[in-house]
Amino acid sequence: MKLNAFLVKYAEIGIKGKNRHIFEDALVSQIRNAIEPIADFQIRKEPGRIFLEAKEDYDYDEVVEALQKVFGIVGICPVLIEPNFEWDNLVQTTIKYVEEQYENKNFTFKVSARRSNKGYEKDSMEIGRDMGGELLDKFPELSVDVHNPEVDLKIEIRSKAYIYSKTIKGAGGLPVGTNGKAMLLLSGGIDSPVAGYMIAKRGVKIDATYFHAPPYTSERAKQKVVDLAKLVSKYSGKINLNVVNFTDIQLAIYEKCPHEQLTIIMRRYMMKIAEQLAEKSNCQALVTGESIGQVASQTIYSLGVTNEVCNLPVFRPCIGMDKQEIVDISEQINTYETSIQPFEDCCTIFVAKHPVTKPTLKSIQRSEEKLADVIDGLMEEALNTVETIVIR
Ligand code: ATP
Ligand code: MG
């Protein structure tokens, strides 16, 4: 017996007052995006929840896995829909449901019945009581506990009968698309994919920018970033990934600026370029994977100097996290294995032996003056040659 529907529960979005329908519509649309490529379901909104009903056979695990990546969902209940709810048949179906769903019948339960179909032969009380009795007769190992049951078996009689009792945990958060859009600076490391995931989880749509430095960084390094964007997009939905050719800017900085300041200056130009791309694609913020103190370029002083070039707010969801905490999330969202592939990135090649940890804005700006006659042209060139890859 295959469960032929899902009931989707959401929490946070239920409390948004008159914006509620916006959140619900966004959630339905995100569910549709996640499900449509893999299965044919009818999706419909009902007060406080969303129903998905299979129109044809589908891969249960695949659908559950896809739903677990949709932000805004707190719980996914697999449902058995029985169109023939004439009492004797409903009893047989419910027995079969319990039989198959619970291998070990040694649990406490109650039956919670609801009847929106007022013409039904029994009222809610009777359905609950009588079905409970039928189940006890069939499975003597069961026992009833109406206050604190291990299994709360729901039976709802509408135009069909709905039977369900299990809830699979959802991803939480808010549906993507309900909180604007941000530009993620996506490197091949562990942190930035996690940062993108965390921002998307709060309902923010994301695009991404990767700074590529061929031939110092290889095609494989770029492919790794594409792969990471793909993994993040399973949660965030479509990502436009901008690949910026950063080689000439990096070489100019390397040639003209003090080496202990390389990373900071490079970061500042990354931020400037990312901000221009962000504005072009209507983003309201930038996102990075930075975390205080992780490396020299992420001391509170370095972050301050980097931040100074941006007008848009820069969100750093990993800012207060230890590396291990970031790793834990990357494992959970399945980006870790890709992130640790050993392809060089542009920061590792042009890195100084003794980078500054307490840069001052003045000293960095003074060094940047040495780029004055070339940098505008190089920035323009970098912006004009951006390659945009659509990641789904
Ligand atoms: P890890 O610390 O695991 O290497 P990371 O590459 O994300 O991860 P850093 O190299 O410390 O971390 O860079 C800090 C942040 O700057 C990144 O999280 C990312 O947002 C941004 N960044 C760094 N290099 C690039 C790049 N080549 N392209 C785009 N963004 C980058
Ligand atoms: Mg990092």
Side-chain angles (χ1 to χ4, degrees):
M1 174 164 56
K2 187 154 189 177
L3 304 191
N4 45 6
F6 293 93
L7 186 155
V8 162
K9 293 179 173 167
Y10 48 89
E12 196 163 353
I13 67 175
I15 56 171
K16 297 279 175 183
K18 62 182 184 209
N19 288 331
R20 177 172 168 155
H21 71 277
I22 299 175
F23 286 79
E24 288 173 340
D25 290 348
L27 183 54
V28 168
S29 134
Q30 293 306 320
I31 291 173
R32 199 160 268 138
N33 290 344
I35 298 302
E36 247 165 26
I38 55 175
D40 195 6
F41 274 79
Q42 188 210 64
I43 301 172
R44 62 175 193 277
K45 237 169 51 165
E46 293 190 6
R49 54 203 200 167
I50 293 165
F51 258 115
L52 282 75
E53 195 171 333
K55 292 204 238 166
E56 54 183 46
D57 194 25
Y58 67 97
D59 182 329
Y60 176 87
D61 292 335
E62 202 182 5
V63 167
V64 169
E65 204 181 299
L67 288 174
Q68 282 186 296
K69 293 190 167 68
V70 176
F71 294 129
I73 295 179
V74 294
I76 303 152
C77 306
V79 178
L80 177 66
I81 297 185
E82 174 56 75
N84 173 6
F85 52 46
E86 183 263 317
W87 181 250
D88 288 341
N89 193 61
L90 184 62
V91 169
Q92 288 320 307
T93 305
T94 307
I95 286 173
K96 203 156 168 235
Y97 170 91
V98 173
E99 175 89 68
E100 288 181 15
Q101 292 294 308
Y102 298 95
E103 207 175 316
N104 173 3
K105 310 283 185 301
N106 229 321
F107 56 78
T108 60
F109 81 107
K110 76 168 175 184
V111 177
S112 305
R114 265 181 33 186
R115 180 188 66 153
S116 62
N117 179 342
K118 297 294 173 204
Y120 193 62
E121 58 197 272
K122 292 175 190 278
D123 68 21
S124 308
M125 283 276 288
E126 292 166 338
I127 299 169
R129 187 193 59 210
D130 295 353
M131 192 62 82
E134 297 283 354
L135 290 170
L136 284 170
D137 284 350
K138 178 74 190 175
F139 308 112
E141 316 93 286
L142 290 178
S143 54
V144 171
D145 180 346
V146 287
H147 300 296
N148 203 6
E150 287 164 287
V151 172
D152 185 0
L153 180 68
K154 314 265 193 201
I155 299 180
E156 298 184 14
I157 311 286
R158 301 152 177 262
S159 58
K160 299 169 186 168
Y162 295 73
I163 304 166
Y164 59 98
S165 60
K166 291 184 175 174
T167 304
I168 301 162
K169 200 169 181 309
L174 298 167
V176 170
T178 55
N179 256 314
K181 190 168 161 193
M183 181 64 74
L184 169 67
L185 281 84
L186 182 62
S187 70
I190 295 167
D191 309 328
S192 46
V194 169
Y197 162 85
M198 288 173 74
I199 286 289
K201 184 172 179 190
R202 297 308 302 164
V204 181
K205 193 171 158 41
I206 54 175
D207 277 345
T209 299
Y210 165 59
F211 295 89
H212 189 40
Y216 303 98
T217 52
S218 64
E219 274 304 300
R220 296 290 299 280
K222 174 175 154 187
Q223 185 57 44
K224 176 179 163 184
V225 174
V226 171
D227 293 343
L228 285 170
K230 255 186 204 143
L231 293 170
V232 174
S233 77
K234 291 193 177 174
Y235 294 90
S236 69
K238 186 186 116 179
I239 296 176
N240 293 312
L241 171 65
N242 302 308
V243 180
V244 177
N245 186 327
F246 203 52
T247 312
D248 290 343
I249 293 178
Q250 255 182 326
L251 288 174
I253 299 171
Y254 193 74
E255 196 181 301
K256 294 176 195 278
C257 300
H259 284 191
E260 67 275 13
Q261 296 177 345
L262 287 181
T263 312
I264 301 283
I265 296 175
M266 195 181 75
R267 274 292 141 69
R268 281 164 58 91
Y269 286 107
M270 282 186 181
M271 293 295 230
K272 279 191 203 184
I273 292 173
E275 182 169 62
Q276 296 210 24
L277 294 170
E279 278 164 356
K280 247 193 227 171
S281 51
N282 298 318
C283 296
Q284 292 82 44
L286 299 176
V287 179
T288 78
E290 290 160 315
S291 154
I292 289 186
Q294 193 183 77
V295 285
S297 58
Q298 294 175 38
T299 64
I300 200 161
Y301 309 96
S302 302
L303 288 170
V305 173
T306 307
N307 206 62
E308 190 266 344
V309 297
C310 298
N311 293 314
L312 284 179
V314 182
F315 295 135
R316 300 174 169 91
C318 302
I319 196 72
M321 295 170 80
D322 293 344
K323 192 73 189 189
Q324 188 56 47
E325 292 173 303
I326 304 173
V327 165
D328 290 347
I329 297 179
S330 75
E331 282 176 335
Q332 177 208 321
I333 65 172
N334 197 31
T335 53
Y336 182 73
E337 287 304 322
T338 306
S339 288
I340 60 169
Q341 287 171 8
F343 305 120
E344 70 296 336
D345 89 21
C346 59
C347 310
T348 45
I349 290 168
F350 293 90
V351 79
K353 280 209 184 68
H354 302 288
V356 282
T357 53
K358 274 194 181 184
T360 62
L361 184 56
K362 266 215 177 86
S363 69
I364 297 293
Q365 284 171 333
R366 207 171 306 128
S367 303
E368 286 177 353
E369 279 165 21
K370 303 193 175 93
L371 300 165
D373 46 344
V374 292
I375 196 68
D376 289 348
L378 292 176
M379 294 256 294
E380 208 180 304
E381 173 72 10
L383 281 163
N384 287 339
T385 55
V386 170
E387 176 197 5
T388 302
I389 304 170
V390 179
I391 310 276
R392 289 173 197 279

